[in-house]
Structures are given as C-alpha cells and as structure tokens.
Amino acid sequence: MTELDDPQAAARAAAEHIAAATGVERHDIALVLGSGWGGAADLVGETVAELPSTDVPGFAKPAVVGHVGTLRSVRIGGSGKHALVLGARTHLYEGRGVRAVVHGVRTAAAAGAGALVLTNGCGGLREEWAAGTPVLISDHINLTATSPVEGANFVDLTDLYSARLRAVAREVDPSLSEGVYVQFRGPHYETPAEVRMAQRIGGDLVGMSTALEAIAAREAGLEVLGVSLVTNPAAGISPTPLSHAEVIEAGQAAGPRISALLAAVVAKL
Ligand code: 8IG
C-alpha cells in the first residue's frame, strides 16, 4: 500500500498534517504557484507557517528549477481568511502518475478551500502576447490522454474556469486578456507543427499543467481561477528556439505586476 492508493484518504491525511503543523484549522482558498509565480504570493498576506512539502503526506520534492518546494499558510490581508499556498506542483511528465499530479488540489479541498487559484508559466500562441504577459484561462483542451477522475463519474466541465472569478480579476486589471489553455504532457516543448495544431483547435496557450488540476478541482467542488504567465512565445511563433533560462527571466521581469494582481484578486475572493 503506497500513500496515494486511496487518494481521498491521502488528501485528508495531508490536510490534517497541514492543520496541525500550521495551527490553522481551515484554509479558505488555495493557490498553486507555477513557473514565474514563486514570489507572487508574498503580497497576498502574512505567512503564518511554512512547511517543506516533503513533510506533508503524499507530496514529493518538485523536479523543476524555479519552482518552490514549500507549502505556506498565509493570513490574507484584511479579511482574516487563510490561503494555502502550494509552491510545489507535480507534473504528469515526472512519472508519478495522475493521482500525484492532483494530490495538492485534493488536499486543498480537504483543508476546507472553496476556491482554487491555479497559476502557470506557459507558451503563448498569439504574437501580441510578449513574454511576461499574464492571461486569464477561459477554458482548456486536455491533450494528456488521461483524467484525474476515476470510475464512472461523469464530471461536468461547463464553466470550469469560473466566470465570476475571471470578472473579479478583470476588475483588478481590466487590460487582462483571456485564452484557452492547451495541456500537453511534456516535458519536451511542442514542435512548431504541434503549436499550429493547438492554434487550429482553438488554443491560445500551451503548457504542461493546470488542466488536470482544474478537472480534479471541479470534481472536488472548488471554484477555479486559472492565470497563465506567458513566459515565451510557443515554438515557431517566434524565430528563436525556447530556453528554460528565458522562461525564468520572463517570470522575474513580470514579478511585480503578477504579484500585485494575485494579491488584489485574492483579497476580493
Ligand atoms: I514556461 O512553450 C512553458 N511551459 N507545453 N510549451 C509548453 N509548456 C511550457 C511552455 C511552452 N513554456
């Protein structure tokens, strides 16, 4: 029997561990920080406690440079609510299976969260989106050929990315664009032909996370806000090849804007 053989029990165990270790009984919202978003939670509020994710049942060390491997409990400025900030994300390409990918989301639900903010770094399919542009996710296309939902549970995904929460984000920043996020398995980036395919099927953003987590969030009854940071034009959109250094650089440059955005949105949730 491994930790994730019973995903719901694993999520409850993780939530109990978090409550005991942070002294915060209930977390009202949760945030998952993707590439480029590592510093963005600092303005959300005061950090009450910080745990290495490896201490929490079911969580493993993040595999990606630029991702922060901690879980934080943050008291949200003003409201007195608490946010659970998941700095570590497991990607499907790590090979730990889809249960591991969505364990953080299920843990957030078990910890009491009613809303989940999923952030990521991704490739942009529109030329007008320079590296460093934040984009609200309006919908997704899941090209991973898998699902976090197990059994004959036909979860409805209409309005998966809450129109209400997107409106809240646009109140904060009316200039925000919206787009359809296409999740590929990775870890390689797309070929230019795959990027053209993603465009033709209705995609605006390409990445390696978020869609599976959003599905698990909906199954668990969470309201979802997805925000992508375009850290690079997707392959073939710009004439130069992609580099992970470029991704990290774009994230750092966009830091102040996306930090302020995230903090203001969370304060209104
Ligand atoms: I950061 O161009 C980042 N993540 N699939 N494609 C995919 N994932 C990404 C990309 C990208 N950039």
Side-chain angles (χ1 to χ4, degrees), residues 35 121-124 182 184 188-190 206-208 231-235 242 247:
S35 295
C122 72
V182 184
F184 285 83
H188 51 273
Y189 293 121
E190 296 71 32
V206 286
M208 305 176 194
T231 55
N232 56 276
L242 311 189
V247 166

Side-chain angles (χ1 to χ4, degrees), residues 2-17:
T2 62
E3 262 178 333
L4 296 175
D5 278 349
D6 182 341
Q8 301 306 333
R12 283 193 301 273
E16 278 165 25
H17 178 98

